[in-house]
Amino acid sequence: MSSRYNPQDAEPKWRDAWRQNDLFKAKHPSDAGDMPKAYILEMFPYPSGRLHMGHVRNYAMGDVVSRHKKAKGYNVLHPMGWDAFGMPAENAAMEKGVHPGEWTYQNIAAMKAQFEELGLSLDWSREFATCDVEYYGEQQRLFLKFLEHGLVYRKASKVNWDPVDQTVLANEQVIDGRGWRSGAPVEQRELTQWFFRITDYAEDLLEKLKELDRWPDKVRVMQENWIGRSEGLQMRFEWVEGQALPASADPAGLEIYTTRPDTLYGASFIALSPDHPLTIALAENDEALQSFRETCAQIGTSEVDIEKAEKLGFDTGLRVADPVKPGKTLPVWVANFVLMGYGTGAIFACPAHDQRDFDFARKYGLPILPVVRPSIPGSPGDKSGTQSDSDSDQSWIESGLGEDMSGAYVGPGTIMNSADWDGLAIAEAKPRAIAEIAARGLGEGTTNFRLRDWGVSRQRYWGTPIPVIHCDECGVVPVPVEDLPVKLPDDVSFDKPGNPLAHHPTWKHVACPKCGTPAHRETDTLDTFNDSSWYFARFASANDPAERAYWLPVDQYVGGIEHAVLHLLYSRFFMRAMRDVGEVDLPSGEPFAGLFTQGMVTHETYKTGNGRWVSPDQIELRDGVMVEIDTGLPVTVGAVEKMSKSKRNTVDPKAIIATYGADAARWFVLSDSPPERDVEWTEAGVEGAARFLQRVWSLVDAVAESGPGADTNEATALDVRRTAHKSTHAIDTAIDEFRFNSAIAAMHEWVNQLKKTEGKGADAARSEAADMLIGCLTPFMPHLAEACWQRLGHEGFVSATAWPDIDPAMLVDDTVTLPIQVNGKRRAEISVAKTASPDAIEAQALAEPALQSHIEGKAIKKVIVVPGRIVNIVVA
RNA sequence: GCCCGCGUGGUGGAAUUGGUAGACACGAGGGACUUAAAAUCCCUUUCCUGUAUAGGAGUGCCGGUUCAAGUCCGGCCGCGGGCACCA
């Protein structure tokens, strides 16, 4: 008996058995009967070639959910594939001379083997890689459909250029002014690029966020901010007559956008973006302005200290009429802080109530005219609640002169110095201003979004070729659908910087599909975020197109928070676009009904005295001092950080699985920390998990040994049964709510109880409980669970067995223990029948001997009885 | 600067949404078994009152609401994340 469980022997055996029985294949809708469907998906991995702990945690979570749903009777789809296009393959080609495709497929094979070792309940029948020609060919077909429906267009624009990867980046892919992958400072370049009209959907993408109630608020807020809706006024400032305007300028006036029409009376000047068409036109005949534009462009690319970037301006000498002060005119400046990409690229400046305008006005000696009086504290509209600390420097209210202001006032208040608008609250003045300007035909209320169209052209080889042909005669010609896929050529070289497709001697030379004259292919490929924007729809229909509508949307998506904006926003756009071109039947356009973003796996870091990082398996304790094993040098323990190669604090899952088994690794990454938070990997932690594994095994062994038998101790048996049902219920809901750490704690407690009741006359109850325990354990430690299931004498797989039945009668106790408080302090506890009336409870509580010293001789003012919870006696 | 989120033992964290704070685990200490070790098992482990059947304090800080606050409200402090010249 009491053998030890050996994961190294048992785990591969069970995985083989699952595979042979095709246990995790999703049922075709026509075979599913009335089973509800559950599409569980983890963000598919990039095939780097090796698994890391972050993967283990991500896929373990998805697997728990997936196995749980299966046990609960759902028809589960839990597929896996590979996000296989991208730069690392090209880097490998450049460094090692391997073809990106070969490198990628080798990595996939290696990684798939490691994935299989985790014992995940995956339906591999739908596997694909995004670099499979079948996949990217389909993606090309989608592109052409988008093009046909006007969802794709080409335009020349300033783009973010990554000088290391030598390619364009979307705005979403620029983080802190650096390329999201290369980390290199991004430069601005003018290129002709393909764009997706994601802004067409801005309103809907924002609006529908509200309905994604199974998404983390955090992600919704991030997307909301990213889309960045603002309401304001777009209006025209008319030119002062008799000025020499460039030919291209609109004689009617200058269009600006503002969200503060209420401050129109505080207008001091107009500011144009350096990239505004009017600025460019003026610069053609003005060298000083041209050099000013160049200065701005340089600062624009340095990015890093943009915060400190000084306000720079250039007076064009032009003037416009002040729309609310007849006879008054305003100067037109070019200002480096005005962005061409937002609104109209021109603003009216109200220095008194905008900090940027204020800084600019101070620097160039422009007027500052306050038009908002701060709210009186405590009055309606005042949100500060306390004495405003700006009181001290508000002498400008009395003086009416902005020169006294120490900074722009942007808080709540009432309008002043604004003729008829005086006395209005800001919120009242805005619509009033818009209405008045509109009535005069000078503008109208508009909504603006921060979101820009998605630039998808990339100057890379290892991606989906954009299926169009450029013809001198016909212009841009889509590749005819029957000529798809446009395959990537295999014979490419990476010895030159830039795009290998553009360098290829023959690939791009084709005849124009329309006129037959020599033409050339587009050599740009699609941003790889395209690949991941619809792969989940492909999984759904991998075996039968008709399944797509059945499986979508994904019921539960699991992945990293780093995709909060990029991947998740693009996917939401893609589903809407695919819906609108008839490629997917998904009315809401929402691909992911539920989303969970998991935390990272972290580890302590170690450094030698000279600052060299040391890996965890290279250190040991010698005489109480941490040293590097090879050199004996002392090592200091640093911060706990995300596992990364550069910090050398990674732990290889392969080694962990070889030592402790997949179950222990899975168990540990899910225990202790809540799944959305980071978990610190520790050796002691895995050892604890491995210990628990053995504990379960020895428990099951003992239960199997003594057999079901009979219960001789009624009370203990009832206890055992109650715990079993309560625990099963607790674990059930904890899994549904992504509280895996709580589920694990419940299993620990349960096992502890079953251990303690060995030989206590509850064999029958313990035997039932053990069956239930193994059922609950299965999603977490599937291999061990199978072994235990077999040891307990069951046929078949526990992985294919229904979730244990919960008897509601077992969830409530006959008697409950109630704490008794006196004036809110706990003084005693009593045991009462579940059904006891509040009066009976009160009587029993007041009679409790342990309480007497606290209530004796005191007047009882009130007794609060909350049945099943607490009794509180209030005494004088 | 703006927008989110979070502050609980030595550590990771529980606490049924206002009702016994510290479940569970890690670590630490003590003990049993053993020739010994490993493994396993048992006990202790928020702080203070030298002892505790007992009492007091306690969930970042200050105040409030309530019979009752880790949980709700107001104000501070600290940490983490996102956005960042978006008019």
Side-chain angles (χ1 to χ4, degrees):
Chain A
M1 57 158 281
S2 99
S3 59
R4 282 181 69 77
Y5 172 74
N6 184 341
Q8 286 76 14
D9 292 344
E11 292 187 350
K13 193 185 87 183
W14 290 111
R15 287 196 295 266
D16 283 346
W18 294 332
R19 197 177 307 118
Q20 278 160 24
N21 287 274
D22 215 0
L23 227 53
F24 306 117
K25 194 165 177 192
K27 286 192 204 305
H28 190 275
S30 59
D31 300 330
D34 54 4
M35 292 170 90
K37 68 101 182 173
Y39 184 176
I40 314 298
L41 185 67
E42 302 93 52
M43 291 179 184
F44 68 162
Y46 178 80
S48 61
R50 50 195 313 150
L51 216 59
H52 55 71
M53 277 303 168
H55 288 127
V56 175
R57 196 167 187 222
N58 189 195
Y59 297 107
M61 285 182 195
D63 200 46
V64 167
V65 174
S66 184
R67 285 175 174 271
H68 179 242
K69 283 283 183 225
K70 181 175 162 68
K72 299 282 281 184
Y74 286 79
N75 181 23
V76 172
L77 172 58
H78 188 209
M80 181 59 76
W82 311 95
D83 186 15
F85 272 138
M87 282 303 297
E90 287 193 51
N91 290 337
M94 283 180 263
E95 284 160 25
K96 298 171 200 153
V98 265
H99 187 272
E102 190 187 326
W103 183 84
T104 302
Y105 283 107
Q106 275 173 7
N107 281 350
I108 288 174
M111 231 163 136
K112 187 174 177 181
Q114 289 187 53
F115 262 104
E116 286 180 334
E117 287 188 351
L118 287 173
L120 303 171
S121 61
L122 292 166
D123 179 353
W124 285 102
S125 76
R126 293 160 192 257
E127 177 190 7
F128 63 82
T130 55
C131 63
D132 293 346
V133 68
E134 295 78 18
Y135 186 81
Y136 73 72
E138 184 66 8
Q139 188 159 293
Q140 289 170 337
R141 197 180 62 76
L142 287 173
F143 179 91
L144 293 179
K145 276 203 115 172
F146 289 180
L147 184 62
E148 189 188 316
H149 285 79
L151 290 166
V152 187
Y153 66 98
R154 220 164 99 90
K155 73 167 180 196
S157 73
K158 273 205 172 171
V159 294
N160 305 303
W161 180 259
D162 186 321
V164 170
D165 284 351
Q166 297 233 335
T167 189
V168 164
L169 298 176
N171 290 323
E172 289 83 350
Q173 294 161 2
V174 179
I175 292 149
D176 291 336
R178 293 170 181 273
W180 73 288
R181 187 182 281 284
S182 71
V186 165
E187 298 167 4
Q188 302 294 310
R189 282 204 183 180
E190 177 97 7
L191 282 179
T192 301
Q193 298 283 299
W194 288 97
F195 287 86
F196 281 174
R197 290 194 195 276
I198 189 169
T199 55
D200 277 9
Y201 295 92
E203 188 80 57
D204 189 51
L205 287 168
L206 182 70
E207 213 41 43
K208 291 276 173 54
L209 282 172
K210 293 181 189 130
E211 290 165 34
L212 295 174
D213 55 353
R214 290 203 295 120
W215 277 41
D217 289 343
K218 186 182 178 176
V219 175
R220 293 199 279 179
V221 168
M222 280 166 73
Q223 291 212 359
E224 207 178 297
N225 292 340
W226 190 266
I227 295 167
R229 184 192 147 104
S230 72
E231 285 183 12
L233 168 68
Q234 184 170 329
M235 71 171 289
R236 194 168 68 239
F237 278 64
E238 293 173 317
W239 295 113
V240 168
E241 282 180 37
Q243 299 181 97
L245 293 171
S248 59
D250 182 353
L254 186 62
E255 290 283 336
I256 63 95
Y257 174 74
T258 182
T259 56
R260 292 299 301 272
D262 54 305
T263 62
L264 212 41
Y265 281 88
S268 156
F269 60 98
I270 297 290
L272 300 175
S273 164
D275 299 314
H276 193 281
L278 180 60
T279 313
I280 295 168
L282 289 168
E284 277 171 20
N285 298 311
D286 188 338
E287 272 179 40
L289 179 54
Q290 185 52 37
S291 81
F292 175 77
R293 288 191 66 227
E294 278 156 21
T295 309
C296 294
Q298 275 169 20
I299 292 171
T301 51
S302 74
E303 299 275 359
V304 190
D305 43 13
I306 197 156
E307 189 189 345
K308 286 179 283 176
E310 207 174 327
K311 300 283 177 288
L312 292 178
F314 184 95
D315 187 354
T316 64
L318 295 172
R319 297 192 81 88
V320 294
D322 187 320
V324 290
K325 293 177 181 169
K328 199 185 162 205
T329 65
L330 302 171
V332 178
W333 285 69
V334 177
N336 66 333
F337 66 89
V338 181
L339 304 172
M340 190 54 223
Y342 189 76
T344 63
I347 60 159
F348 88 79
C350 175
H353 305 291
D354 183 285
Q355 191 58 43
R356 293 156 302 183
D357 299 350
F358 184 89
D359 295 343
F360 192 89
R362 269 286 150 85
K363 179 162 177 183
Y364 293 103
L366 294 155
I368 297 168
L369 316 163
V371 291
V372 178
R373 181 193 309 277
S375 308
I376 300 153
S379 69
D382 171 58
K383 289 176 193 152
S384 62
T386 56
Q387 285 286 318
S388 170
D389 57 5
S390 53
D391 276 356
S392 55
D393 46 52
Q394 282 180 12
S395 53
W396 54 272
I397 300 174
E398 275 69 44
S399 72
L401 295 172
E403 273 64 28
D404 292 340
M405 295 175 80
S406 57
Y409 178 77
V410 295
T414 48
I415 303 298
M416 63 177 185
N417 298 336
S418 300
D420 289 352
W421 304 349
D422 282 1
L424 294 175
I426 291 173
E428 295 163 341
K430 282 184 182 179
R432 171 84 174 264
I434 292 170
E436 285 183 20
I437 295 297
R440 291 166 56 190
L442 288 176
E444 57 182 2
T446 51
T447 302
N448 252 293
F449 293 94
R450 218 188 68 120
L451 183 71
R452 313 287 165 74
D453 278 337
W454 174 17
V456 293
S457 300
R458 295 292 180 273
Q459 294 66 43
R460 299 304 339 155
Y461 164 74
W462 196 229
T464 302
I466 295 175
V468 298
I469 290 164
H470 299 279
C471 170
D472 289 341
E473 300 298 319
C474 313
V476 174
V477 182
V479 171
V481 174
E482 57 273 20
D483 292 351
L484 293 181
V486 177
K487 283 191 191 173
L488 286 166
D490 284 331
D491 51 335
V492 275
S493 69
F494 293 87
D495 42 16
K496 277 186 270 186
N499 184 355
L501 281 181
H503 302 149
H504 193 278
T506 57
W507 183 79
K508 67 180 173 188
H509 300 294
V510 286
C512 170
K514 254 191 193 164
C515 69
T517 60
H520 65 94
R521 290 189 187 285
E522 170 77 57
T523 56
D524 284 356
T525 49
L526 287 173
D527 178 5
T528 55
F529 274 101
N530 277 256
D531 311 340
S532 52
S533 292
W534 66 285
Y535 76 103
F536 40 88
R538 177 77 176 185
F539 276 143
S541 58
N543 301 331
D544 174 6
E547 283 187 72
R548 186 172 278 183
Y550 170 80
W551 289 112
L552 289 177
V554 173
D555 294 281
Q556 184 62 60
Y557 200 32
V558 187
I561 187 72
E562 66 273 21
H563 293 110
V565 174
L566 296 161
H567 162 58
L568 293 168
L569 189 62
Y570 292 147
S571 298
R572 297 180 65 218
F573 159 70
F574 237 82
M575 284 307 105
R576 285 163 167 77
M578 283 174 71
R579 175 196 63 195
D580 293 347
V581 303
E583 287 291 330
V584 67
D585 181 13
L586 188 66
S588 70
E590 290 300 338
F592 311 118
L595 171 70
F596 188 87
T597 50
Q598 98 273 2
M600 297 177 303
V601 182
T602 62
H603 197 287
E604 276 183 335
T605 50
Y606 310 99
K607 250 186 187 177
T608 59
N610 56 16
R612 184 165 46 84
W613 299 103
V614 180
S615 117
D617 53 14
Q618 280 300 306
I619 56 164
E620 67 179 11
L621 212 54
R622 282 184 206 160
D623 307 322
V625 182
M626 198 70 90
V627 297
E628 184 178 25
I629 293 172
D630 287 355
T631 61
L633 288 169
V635 164
T636 52
V637 179
V640 175
E641 295 190 57
K642 177 184 180 177
M643 286 190 180
S644 76
K645 275 184 210 155
S646 60
K647 302 270 169 69
R648 303 209 61 191
N649 64 338
T650 57
V651 172
D652 188 358
K654 220 180 150 106
I656 297 298
I657 292 169
T659 312
Y660 301 99
D663 284 340
R666 291 169 58 128
W667 185 261
F668 175 66
V669 291
L670 297 178
S671 61
D672 289 347
S673 286
E676 68 277 12
R677 264 189 247 177
D678 293 350
V679 65
E680 187 191 344
W681 180 273
T682 62
E683 196 73 10
V686 226
E687 279 166 11
R691 222 165 21 237
F692 180 71
L693 228 79
Q694 297 300 339
R695 231 169 118 71
V696 172
W697 178 250
S698 80
L699 168 71
V700 164
D701 208 43
V703 170
E705 201 66 26
S706 54
D711 294 328
T712 53
N713 184 332
E714 291 285 332
T716 305
L718 185 60
D719 244 21
V720 166
R721 287 201 174 86
R722 284 229 163 95
T723 302
H725 288 268
K726 283 180 185 172
S727 301
T728 302
H729 178 70
I731 294 159
D732 195 30
T733 47
I735 293 173
D736 278 339
E737 292 165 10
F738 270 82
R739 294 183 295 113
F740 305 128
N741 53 327
S742 298
I744 284 175
M747 287 186 263
H748 271 289
E749 276 184 274
W750 191 0
V751 168
N752 288 345
Q753 188 227 34
L754 289 176
K755 277 272 183 189
K756 281 192 182 120
T757 51
E758 189 172 337
K760 296 273 168 65
D763 284 355
R766 293 178 79 243
S767 173
E768 292 164 32
D771 284 356
M772 294 173 75
L773 170 71
I774 298 311
C776 292
L777 220 49
T778 305
F780 297 85
M781 307 208 276
H783 308 89
L784 175 77
E786 292 293 358
C788 291
W789 195 242
Q790 189 182 55
R791 181 72 183 91
L792 288 166
H794 298 288
E795 300 282 331
F797 298 103
V798 69
S799 296
T801 301
W803 190 254
D805 281 329
I806 300 164
D807 179 357
M810 285 289 176
L811 300 181
V812 284
D813 293 313
D814 301 333
T815 58
V816 286
T817 303
L818 293 184
I820 316 290
Q821 296 182 336
V822 176
N823 286 349
K825 282 191 196 297
R826 183 182 162 281
R827 296 299 180 188
E829 53 183 42
I830 55 169
S831 190
V832 299
K834 176 78 192 170
T835 53
S837 70
D839 287 348
I841 294 170
E842 182 175 335
Q844 190 182 338
L846 290 171
E848 169 64 27
L851 211 64
Q852 297 313 311
S853 64
H854 293 101
I855 57 174
E856 244 169 9
K858 290 176 181 158
I860 292 167
K861 286 167 65 177
K862 203 174 182 184
V863 178
I864 289 124
V865 178
V866 185
R869 286 254 193 271
I870 205 163
V871 178
N872 193 7
I873 300 166
V874 187
V875 299

